[in-house]
Amino acid sequence: MTSVAEAPTVQRRLLAQTGHGPLPTLDASQVVGLARDAGLTGRGGSGFPLWRKLNAVLVSGRPPTIIANGAEGEPASGKDKALLTYQPHLVLDGLQLIARAARASTAYLYVAQPAAFRAVLGSRRDPIPVTLVTAPDAFVAGEESAVAAAVAGRGAVPADKRFRLPDTGTLVQNVETLAHLALIARYGAGWFRTAGTYDEPGTFLATIGGAVAAPGVVEAGYGVPLGDLITAAGGPTAPLAAVLVGGYHGAWVPADPALPISREALSPYGATPGAGVVTALPLGACGLAETARIAGYLADQSAGQCGPCVNGLPRLATTLADLAAFRARPTLPAEVTRLTHLVTGRGACRHPDGTARLIASAMRAFSADVTAHLNGHCLATHTP
Amino acid sequence: MTRLHIDWTACDGRGLCAELLPELLAEDDWGYPMARDGSPSPTVPPALEPNAQRAVDRCPALALHLTREAERPSAPTR
Amino acid sequence: MTDALWYFARGSGVVALVLLTVVVALGIGARSGRTAFGLPRFAVSLLHRNAALLAVVFLVLHVVSLLFDPYAQLRLFDVVLPFVGNYRPVWQGLGTLGFDLMVAIVVTSLLRHRIGARAWRAVHWLAYLCWPVALLHGLGTGSDNGTAWLWTVSMICVAVVLAAVAWRLTPNFTRFPHRAERKVAPRLRPLEEVR
């Protein structure tokens, strides 16, 4: 999953092989201003503007804790691992920029395999020391408050959101976001905006998987047509039935090569570019069975803290599994809708919301197959 | 504007809040409180604030909080 | 007059024990999340709290009357410091211990919102120590030990608490026995820092 694909319309910024000049020293207002002018948003899936969070940390009056989040617990995503392998210095540059601007005494790099970064860190002369923290191999381990908890020495468990994390002085930024910041500091906000769309400037790293010839990580500007991403990953290995955009917390969209990967174009499908995960489903594979598989995984990956999630996700997963395996009653679609509403917004983190979103999108995207499954057969696999 | 915030990491679904605030809360399939308006943190009308405060005080798990608009949680990130 | 104090001390002590028994049973009942005696859950919880506060009142009356009682020779520090009394130090010490535990449980309950649920719950578990201590104190000390009426009252209290605890341990104790347990997934537990 970590091969870097070549394609005509994809861009290479983070993944460019060229060296970059020295990192300028910027004060807090310069970093906030640059990030705001560039329109740099979080690449971990939320798409929240970096400058807002950084500003909240700066005015919080609390000792700052700056964390680079490379946990990438999403199994379908490989872009953070690829970035950290190919361009660790860009990530560490971005981390230094923010840690210096915030006058932090230590910065943190939170990754699944920290030992691999000792040599890289040792080769740098960073003014702010970087502490490596091990990210558990778990889906929710990359959630912002779980990251903060893990760095504080507790379990990587999401926390209640009565107080926003940046207001407590803690900034968690995805490693890709930090790498973009390192480039913006060198080349400017205007340069950053020459890629992407007006509303969503810049490039993003996409992990292309599923029914493609060369699964891997691709860099492209926001608004890139879906077909270009698929082509960049070697093209489809079979005609495609649908594409899962945004990963396991994402949504199914039609396999339309012209569909732009942007918030605006994806919103009718309830999808967002998220953390850039694009998974192609071939014709002949059952979207309901695939969604049921993912739902089962997500139910198992609950942190286990919140009642509606601990009870609701397994119920949702088994309901969907019943549908996939033709054990369904006619009332099942209504029950799925009821359960998705039941879990949404009722947890410390958005794990139940994301799971419900994926399932709801599957019921829409594969609605014809839902009807077929209720009648005991599958349109995709022509079984049983 | 006052909202009722539920700390799901603490909530044990003991069911006192749905009794004290039936106007705002119902129970789900497992006895956990569920806002009748479907929102994650329901708005508390001024007339119900005393009842909401009682629910906050009597929650055995201390899972309920009344929040003013200023400290409303924003979208968490992943 | 002095006899009156002695009788009053014994009487208030027995009433406090009976109330504590009610408090323990209601506490367990409240924990089940079920309604009881046609009362809603919040009423069960309020009854639990108010019975506890009433038990404190009788406990204070019990202690204060003994402070002024010439037979008991209770000194001020005997109220706080267990097992150093002049009169049957072990049995009286159990009373002091029970009083201390009771104070700790009630004070932390009143300050629940300040100290947080975790600390409150930890102290509240001491109720399972407080109640037997109070029971033994009542049976062992005082001039009523061996009397049929005190034994009867004590045994009814024991039966009530044992029944409540036995119910607490049955699988169908809570109102949603099939609810999945909330427990942090082991895979998220803390890992060591690398550097």
Side-chain angles (χ1 to χ4, degrees):
Chain A
M1 289 294 276
T2 52
S3 72
V4 178
E6 299 275 358
T9 59
V10 298
Q11 284 177 285
R12 282 175 173 271
R13 286 183 164 182
L14 296 175
L15 300 180
Q17 296 301 313
T18 57
H20 302 286
L23 186 69
T25 304
L26 304 171
D27 64 24
S29 63
Q30 286 173 313
V31 174
V32 170
L34 266 179
R36 185 182 50 211
D37 295 346
L40 177 59
T41 53
R43 298 298 201 255
S46 73
F48 197 79
L50 180 149
W51 74 271
R52 281 183 190 273
K53 280 212 239 175
L54 176 56
N55 208 40
V57 168
L58 294 172
V59 303
S60 71
R62 307 280 286 272
T65 304
I66 312 296
I67 307 166
N69 179 10
E72 200 170 38
E74 159 99 41
S77 183
K79 58 104 177 168
D80 288 342
K81 286 171 212 79
L83 178 68
L84 286 164
T85 305
Y86 287 96
Q87 300 283 11
H89 290 293
L90 281 182
V91 174
L92 295 168
D93 285 354
L95 183 60
Q96 288 295 318
L97 271 173
I98 291 193
R100 259 186 285 173
R103 297 176 183 277
S105 55
T106 315
Y108 297 89
L109 177 60
Y110 177 72
V111 286
Q113 306 286 344
F117 295 93
R118 281 216 196 90
V120 178
L121 285 171
S123 72
R124 294 167 59 93
R125 293 219 184 92
D126 283 329
I128 315 265
V130 175
T131 301
L132 292 165
V133 180
T134 308
D137 180 21
F139 193 84
V140 299
E143 195 266 349
E144 187 178 47
S145 61
V147 174
V151 165
R154 305 189 297 270
V157 176
D160 180 50
K161 299 295 185 302
R162 186 153 64 104
F163 303 105
R164 293 181 308 172
L165 202 55
D167 294 335
T168 65
T170 299
L171 184 73
V172 178
Q173 281 296 337
N174 173 260
V175 288
E176 184 193 337
T177 319
L178 293 171
H180 282 296
L181 184 68
L183 292 182
I184 293 167
R186 290 182 171 95
Y187 306 119
W191 165 84
F192 183 75
R193 284 186 164 275
T194 57
T197 68
Y198 179 80
D199 291 328
E200 286 171 281
T203 60
F204 70 103
L205 295 179
T207 311
I208 320 295
V212 291
V217 175
V218 175
E219 183 173 7
Y222 281 117
V224 62
L226 176 59
D228 289 11
L229 287 180
I230 301 285
T231 307
T237 54
L240 299 184
V243 174
L244 178 60
V245 174
Y248 285 6
H249 277 176
W252 292 99
V253 303
D256 172 10
L259 180 69
I261 302 301
S262 67
R263 271 179 186 269
E264 191 186 1
L266 293 174
S267 69
Y269 306 102
T272 69
V277 179
V278 173
T279 309
L281 183 80
L283 280 178
C286 176
L288 293 174
E290 175 62 5
T291 307
R293 183 192 67 79
I294 299 174
Y297 167 82
L298 291 174
D300 181 59
Q301 287 288 320
S302 168
Q305 298 188 100
C306 307
C309 182
V310 170
N311 290 281
L313 296 200
R315 174 88 69 89
L316 259 174
T318 52
T319 307
L320 212 62
D322 284 349
L323 178 64
F326 316 105
R327 291 189 297 263
R329 303 157 300 278
T331 54
L332 186 136
E335 175 68 358
V336 169
T337 306
R338 188 184 77 85
L339 288 171
T340 54
H341 289 306
L342 198 102
V343 298
T344 300
R346 298 177 70 227
C349 73
R350 296 297 178 99
H351 187 56
D353 306 46
T355 307
R357 176 166 50 238
L358 171 80
I359 292 168
S361 94
M363 297 298 279
R364 285 193 306 269
F366 307 113
S367 59
D369 224 358
V370 170
T371 311
H373 273 249
L374 290 174
N375 292 317
H377 63 277
C378 176
L379 297 179
T381 60
H382 306 293
T383 52
Chain B
M1 187 162 55
T2 306
R3 284 173 181 274
L4 186 68
H5 175 84
I6 303 170
D7 178 352
W8 291 106
T9 66
C11 176
D12 229 356
R14 212 70 74 69
L16 276 72
C17 56
E19 285 177 340
L20 291 166
L21 262 182
E23 300 88 346
L24 295 186
L25 299 174
E27 286 189 1
D28 70 9
D29 300 16
W30 307 279
Y32 293 99
M34 194 167 63
R36 289 195 187 274
D37 65 1
S39 72
S41 313
T43 306
V44 181
L48 286 178
E49 274 198 38
N51 283 11
Q53 187 59 53
R54 278 216 300 161
V56 170
D57 292 341
R58 295 315 307 156
C59 173
L62 304 185
L64 296 177
H65 303 272
L66 290 180
T67 58
R68 310 291 150 188
E69 189 66 328
E71 56 172 312
R72 190 175 58 136
S74 69
T77 52
R78 211 188 92 76
Chain C
M1 178 59 204
T2 50
D3 274 359
L5 267 179
W6 184 229
Y7 283 118
F8 184 76
R10 285 150 62 189
S12 54
V14 172
V15 172
L17 177 68
V18 170
L19 281 170
L20 279 185
T21 302
V22 170
V23 169
V24 169
L26 282 173
I28 291 173
R31 178 66 184 77
S32 77
R34 293 174 190 273
T35 56
F37 317 115
L39 290 174
R41 286 174 269 277
F42 73 87
V44 174
S45 133
L46 279 176
L47 211 56
H48 166 69
R49 185 188 71 171
N50 293 344
L53 293 176
L54 197 62
V56 169
V57 170
F58 276 90
L59 203 56
V60 167
L61 290 175
H62 174 68
V63 170
V64 168
S65 54
L66 286 171
L67 273 177
F68 291 99
D69 179 70
Y71 302 136
Q73 296 173 19
L74 198 69
R75 294 155 302 175
L76 258 181
F77 64 82
D78 287 328
V79 176
V80 212
L81 209 61
F83 309 118
V84 292
N86 292 327
Y87 174 80
R88 299 188 184 179
V90 172
W91 297 115
Q92 189 198 78
L94 286 174
T96 305
L97 182 63
F99 179 74
D100 291 346
L101 290 169
M102 183 77 185
V103 167
I105 293 166
V106 169
V107 167
T108 50
S109 287
L110 295 175
L111 296 175
R112 215 160 59 97
H113 286 264
R114 291 262 175 84
I115 64 172
R118 195 174 298 231
W120 167 76
R121 195 171 295 125
V123 176
H124 226 71
W125 275 99
L126 292 175
Y128 286 112
L129 179 63
C130 180
W131 181 84
V133 161
L135 178 85
L136 287 177
H137 164 73
L139 286 177
T141 193
S143 37
D144 298 317
N145 58 353
T147 61
W149 69 269
L150 184 68
W151 272 96
T152 310
V153 169
S154 297
M155 285 310 117
I156 291 172
C157 289
V158 169
V160 167
V161 167
L162 282 184
V165 170
W167 175 44
R168 174 82 175 83
L169 296 175
T170 59
N172 280 333
F173 170 66
T174 65
R175 63 192 176 123
F176 289 98
H178 300 297
R179 195 195 256 179
E181 192 188 357
R182 296 190 307 115
K183 203 174 83 201
V184 168
R187 64 169 79 86
L188 298 174
R189 296 224 179 101
L191 296 159
E192 82 294 358
E193 282 197 13
V194 166
R195 195 180 95 176

